[in-house]
Structures are given as structure tokens and as C-alpha cells.
Amino acid sequence: MLSIAVCDDEVIECCSLAGKIEEILKNMKIPCMIRQFQGGRELLEVAESFDIVFLDIMMCGMDGMKTAQMFRKKASDRILIFVSSSRDYVFEAYDVEAFQYLLKPVEEKKLKSVLRKAVLKTESRSQEFMIASRERQKTKIFLDDIYYFEMKGRVVEVHGAEGIFTYYEQIGSLENKLREKGFFRCHKSYLIHLKYVDAYNRQEAVLENGEKIMIAKRRYEEFCREMLKYMRKNGGIL
């Protein structure tokens, strides 16, 4: 079941948008659970519980942009859709990886289109996983939760949200397995998850957690192409 949050300090507008979303998803035969919030702090208490969040920007107290910044720290992989009566924050929306930016009053046709894309993205979230070890204990790690792989001799270090795990494999073989799955070999020793790249230059990629990964000079142009392709495929470029 799809879990959706609608956050707007205007109660009537919040209810109206939630009702439209519910009706559209019902017609699409997609079961959903929708919760309404009238403030950012209230939403942040349960942010990780939702697949999709519709967030107003101009709210009393904690505004939508500040809420979004804190939301991203708690739930980096959830879909965030801004709803606002102003175009002034469109570029700021990129900084918090907004999936879409809708203008009030929201047109039903546009809302339906955005919901279709958002649903497809939630369904495409990878459920593939691998088994790696830490302190002699085998652990299942989902690909979506891996930041990057680092090769150290015959050992592959898996860096992710839960720390560092290890296993044995050749990086060339791993690269082939992860082709078209959002990973790119940016250096002879690194396979990076493009999903977590926050910034980059010719020397390095900066991840959301602040880590810096080297980019080989001869791989930079291809890295740029793959990064652009990934963003287009996953809603990063409107």
C-alpha cells in the first residue's frame, strides 16, 4: 500500500489536495493511505513512514523549505513534491531533490501526471540485495542503501547507511553485475552509486554524507554522461 503525506497549514487546501490524490489513485486502482499535517514539525516526527510527501512551502512556523531540508536528512530516498502559490522557490527545490514543483491551484491533469510518475518511481525502488560480512556475521544489504564499493586487494568494502561490510569479488565482475543499476565505476578502485552524488568536479564526487570519492581523469566525461542520464531517468531534471 502506498503511503502519502500532505502537509499544508491551510486546512481546507490540505483536505482538498488529499481528496484529489485519493480519488486519482482510486481510479488507478492503487491502494493508498493518506495522512494530513498542518505543520512541518508534526510531519518530521514520522517522515520515514511515507513513500510520497506533498509539501506546501509558505507555512507559518517552520516553512516548507526548512522542513524539506530536515526531511532529507531523515528520509533521503523518499519522493518530495512541492506545492506552492509562488514560483520563487523553484531553484531552491533542486537543493532538496524535489521530484516536482506544482503551482496552486493544482490542475487535476497535472496532478494525475505527477502521481503516475511518482508511483512508477516508488515501484522501481530496487529490492535487489547482496550478502556481505561484518564481525563474522553475514548481513543482507539492499543495493539502494549502498553508497559505494571500494576495492582493497581481493576484498570489496561495501559502504552504506549501516556502515562498512566486506566480501570477496573482482571489481570488474561487480561492475558488470551493477551495469544499468545506478552504479558507475569512476575510478579503478571505486564503484559509486549515482543516487547519492550531491556534487562533483573533475577530481572527485561529493556524496550526500560528505564523503569524497576520486574520479579518474579518463572516466570523467563518461561519468558526466551517466550522471545526466541517471537524473533524467529518476526525475532529477524537470
Side-chain angles (χ1 to χ4, degrees):
M1 177 178 289
L2 203 60
S3 180
I4 298 174
V6 179
C7 185
D8 192 322
D9 62 348
E10 295 289 338
V11 178
I12 294 176
E13 291 193 14
C14 190
C15 290
S16 175
L17 181 57
K20 290 178 182 178
I21 294 169
E22 185 175 23
E23 184 65 23
I24 290 170
L25 292 177
K26 182 180 179 181
N27 291 335
M28 292 170 64
K29 295 181 169 48
I30 297 174
C32 66
M33 183 277 291
I34 302 175
R35 284 188 60 186
Q36 299 176 37
F37 299 88
Q38 273 73 59
R41 296 189 187 282
E42 184 185 359
L43 169 65
L44 290 171
E45 291 178 2
V46 288
E48 302 94 326
S49 305
F50 300 102
D51 301 302
I52 304 172
V53 172
F54 286 81
L55 181 61
D56 183 31
I57 294 180
M58 293 181 286
M59 298 190 294
C60 295
M62 182 185 291
D63 66 39
M65 199 56 68
K66 180 63 176 178
T67 301
Q69 291 166 359
M70 297 181 70
F71 172 79
R72 275 289 171 245
K73 293 178 182 179
K74 296 167 70 68
S76 62
D77 60 342
R78 301 302 193 267
I79 293 176
L80 176 61
I81 298 171
F82 279 123
V83 184
S84 178
S85 56
S86 171
R87 297 177 182 271
D88 294 346
Y89 303 92
V90 170
F91 293 106
E92 288 183 56
Y94 284 103
D95 295 335
V96 289
E97 299 176 58
F99 183 74
Q100 274 284 10
Y101 192 105
L102 298 174
L103 286 173
K104 294 181 180 181
V106 180
E107 296 178 8
E108 187 169 340
K109 183 178 179 180
K110 182 66 175 177
L111 180 59
K112 188 181 297 185
S113 173
V114 169
L115 276 171
R116 281 202 188 98
K117 292 177 183 177
V119 168
L120 284 174
K121 186 173 181 181
T122 61
E123 291 176 346
S124 67
R125 176 177 162 82
S126 175
Q127 295 303 310
E128 294 181 86
F129 63 90
M130 59 183 301
I131 302 295
S133 303
R134 185 169 64 184
E135 298 177 355
R136 298 182 180 180
Q137 181 174 325
K138 300 291 184 182
T139 304
K140 180 170 75 173
I141 308 169
F142 287 98
L143 290 187
D144 268 0
D145 296 328
I146 295 172
Y147 301 152
Y148 64 94
F149 296 89
E150 181 179 4
M151 195 71 188
K152 291 189 174 179
R154 292 178 57 244
V155 176
V156 176
E157 287 192 351
V158 185
H159 296 252
E162 301 299 322
I164 302 173
F165 299 82
T166 61
Y167 76 108
Y168 294 94
E169 186 170 12
Q170 293 183 344
I171 196 165
S173 174
L174 180 61
E175 181 182 10
N176 289 332
K177 290 178 182 178
L178 295 176
R179 204 175 299 279
E180 303 301 323
K181 297 183 187 295
F183 289 83
F184 179 78
R185 190 174 178 183
C186 59
H187 183 276
K188 66 179 182 180
S189 300
Y190 294 100
L191 265 167
I192 192 170
H193 199 160
L194 299 176
K195 168 184 175 180
Y196 292 105
V197 175
D198 194 45
Y200 61 89
N201 55 42
R202 288 185 173 273
Q203 286 76 45
E204 62 190 14
V206 182
L207 304 187
E208 289 179 1
N209 65 356
E211 288 190 74
K212 298 178 179 180
I213 308 298
M214 288 184 290
I215 300 177
K217 184 177 180 180
R218 66 186 181 87
R219 297 178 188 268
Y220 178 71
E221 296 300 330
E222 188 181 357
F223 171 82
C224 291
R225 289 195 296 271
E226 289 298 313
M227 192 71 206
L228 185 63
K229 185 169 74 173
Y230 181 86
M231 289 191 292
R232 282 177 173 157
K233 181 179 178 182
N234 293 275
I237 296 180
L238 305 182

